[in-house]
């Protein structure tokens, strides 16, 4: 497959512009997945996009340069496991690649990973995060497997102190990790069966697919609608988390047309309503039947203070009063779109507003000040 890989229409500038126009603040490229193929010109293996393909271009370098040019942060996904390298100690996945288990050599494989991470963090400009995946390949070992995570994390932070470490291990965070990600679930939910871990005090992220696949599959045209993606983004932000939404690029190097359509729709929404989303924190209550809330904090570290705003994102249809179980004490409430005042009252049971009948499309925002 590598010998036939030629994404002739790859255009780093077009990619970065599409992500930036969508309102994204960072992108995360899969630099090496479980198949072991490196998407940069690594010196640690010939199995990479420059040496093993007729394409012969380092797309990571092109993306890095373009991200710096257009002002977008670059993160890098990196697989902890490898289904093709003979020195990787095989876990519970990847048993169809015909490797000889007697060649497993953890010290050799660890050195390989550390050398690759050093390349990524010294040759491709500022990296916002290293996003690990694959720890779970050894989660059923009879003897607990030591991935030497702290050794890798310390290396990353020594090379780029501002680079975050994120690990999609489906566990509570380990020492040295800087953010916590939840696969296919909003933090606190476990519909996909991968997010039963507790929510930590670290910054949070949800990673989710735009259609059904992490990679590209031509038959998978079941993309979530723009409205669905915006509501997912809001539900994630209502937990104080970022949303890392996935796109599997086409074999020719272009982003799928449906993905571009969804990005455009998200960008249009954020250009109008971004103040209610960017630089906000979670409210002091969980998701409600009507939706979620975000808060634009002031200098207050605890509680609420003068000049702060709470945005109620009504993403489900309502008719009649809505209850808001918050300690926020508003002096006014009005519609974001029309400026119309919304009647409200504060009781011992919380805040109640009467916006009337609302059919959000995809969201109806009330500003509390």
């Amino acid at each position: 497959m590598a010998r036939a890989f030629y994404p002739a229409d790859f255009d780093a500038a077009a990619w970065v512009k599409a992500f930036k126009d969508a309102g994204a603040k960072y992108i995360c490229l899969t630099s090496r997945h479980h198949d072991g193929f490196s998407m940069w010109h690594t010196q640690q293996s010939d199995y990479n996009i420059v040496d093993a393909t007729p394409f012969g271009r380092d797309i990571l370098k092109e993306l890095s340069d373009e991200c710096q040019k257009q002002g977008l942060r670059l993160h890098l996904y990196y697989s902890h496991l490898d289904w093709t390298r003979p020195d990787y100690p095989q876990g519970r996945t990847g048993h169809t690649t015909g490797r000889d288990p007697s060649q497993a050599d953890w010290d050799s494989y660890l050195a390989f990973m550390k050398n690759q991470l050093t390349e990524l963090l010294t040759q491709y400009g500022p990296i916002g995060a290293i996003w690990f995946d694959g720890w779970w390949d050894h989660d059923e070992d009879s003897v607990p497997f030591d991935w030497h995570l702290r050794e890798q994390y310390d290396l990353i932070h020594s090379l780029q102190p501002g680079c975050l470490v994120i690990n999609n291990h489906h566990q509570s965070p380990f020492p040295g990790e800087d953010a916590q990600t939840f696969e296919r679930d909003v933090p606190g939910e476990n519909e996909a069966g991968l997010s039963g871990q507790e929510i930590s005090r670290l910054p949070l992220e949800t990673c989710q697919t735009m259609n059904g696949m992490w990679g590209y599959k031509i038959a998978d045209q079941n993309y979530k609608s723009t409205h669905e993606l915006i509501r997912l983004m809001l539900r994630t932000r209502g937990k104080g988390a970022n949303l890392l939404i996935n796109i599997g690029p086409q074999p020719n190097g272009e982003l799928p047309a449906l993905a571009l359509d969804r990005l455009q729709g998200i960008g249009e929404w954020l250009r109008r309503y971004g103040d209610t989303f960017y630089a906000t924190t979670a409210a002091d209550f969980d998701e409600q039947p009507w939706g979620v809330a975000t808060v634009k904090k002031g200098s207050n570290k605890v509680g609420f203070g003068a000049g702060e705003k709470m945005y109620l994102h009504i993403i489900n249809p309502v008719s009649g009063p809505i209850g808001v179980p918050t300690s926020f004490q508003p002096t006014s409430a009005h519609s974001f779109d029309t400026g119309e005042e919304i009647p409200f009252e504060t009781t011992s049971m919380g805040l109640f507003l009467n916006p009337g009948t609302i059919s959000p499309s995809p969201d109806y925002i009330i500003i509390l000040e």
Side-chain angles (χ1 to χ4, degrees), residues 6 27 35 96 109 168 180 234 262 283 294-295 304 309 313:
Y6 200 91
I27 65 174
D35 58 6
T96 60
Y109 184 70
N168 183 38
Q180 183 180 17
L234 289 170
R262 303 307 191 262
T294 56
V295 177
F304 299 109
K309 296 181 180 181
H313 295 273

Side-chain angles (χ1 to χ4, degrees), residues 80 110 113 132 147-156:
H80 261 136
L110 177 61
M113 288 199 300
F132 287 113
W147 284 98
H148 289 78
L149 293 181
R150 194 58 191 258
E151 186 177 335
Q152 298 166 54
Y153 297 171
D154 288 347
L155 171 67
I156 292 168

Side-chain angles (χ1 to χ4, degrees), residues 37-225:
F37 183 77
S38 297
M39 297 293 282
W40 78 99
H41 195 199
T42 180
Q43 302 303 304
Q44 310 308 314
S45 166
D46 292 336
Y47 192 40
N48 67 74
I49 193 169
V50 175
D51 296 321
T53 80
F55 188 61
R57 285 162 50 189
D58 187 335
I59 70 161
L60 176 52
K61 182 67 168 65
E62 295 177 27
L63 269 177
S64 173
D65 290 347
E66 197 60 41
C67 280
Q68 293 177 62
K69 181 179 178 180
Q70 295 194 40
L72 206 62
R73 180 73 76 167
L74 178 63
H75 297 191
L76 297 175
Y77 172 114
Y78 187 86
S79 175
H80 261 136
L81 67 92
D82 193 306
W83 290 333
T84 55
R85 280 187 65 89
D87 56 355
Y88 171 70
Q90 194 164 19
R92 63 176 172 85
T93 67
H95 289 274
T96 60
T97 51
R99 291 178 300 147
D100 181 356
S102 68
Q103 296 186 41
D105 184 341
W106 169 249
D107 290 338
S108 169
Y109 184 70
L110 177 61
F112 161 75
M113 288 199 300
K114 291 172 67 176
N115 288 337
Q116 282 209 318
L117 289 168
T118 298
E119 287 180 347
L120 293 172
L121 291 163
T122 58
Q123 299 176 20
Y124 293 91
I127 303 299
I130 297 293
W131 203 99
F132 287 113
D133 194 17
W135 177 95
W136 35 260
D137 193 40
H138 283 280
D139 63 2
E140 297 179 0
D141 290 10
S142 57
V143 177
F145 188 83
D146 185 0
W147 284 98
H148 289 78
L149 293 181
R150 194 58 191 258
E151 186 177 335
Q152 298 166 54
Y153 297 171
D154 288 347
L155 171 67
I156 292 168
H157 290 139
S158 70
L159 294 172
Q160 290 203 31
C163 180
L164 303 176
V165 170
I166 306 173
N167 197 327
N168 183 38
H169 44 46
H170 314 146
Q171 306 291 311
S172 296
F174 300 140
E177 295 171 6
D178 302 300
Q180 183 180 17
T181 193
F182 295 82
E183 183 172 347
R184 292 186 183 266
D185 276 305
V186 172
E189 296 182 358
N190 192 22
E191 294 182 3
L194 301 171
S195 302
Q197 66 273 29
E198 292 184 358
I199 300 175
S200 74
R201 293 173 60 86
L202 294 177
L204 306 176
E205 175 191 82
T206 285
C207 56
Q208 177 61 282
T209 56
M210 191 175 274
N211 50 0
M213 303 295 296
W214 290 113
Y216 177 76
K217 184 177 181 179
I218 192 170
D220 184 3
Q221 299 298 308
N222 188 28
Y223 280 72
K224 299 172 181 67
S225 71

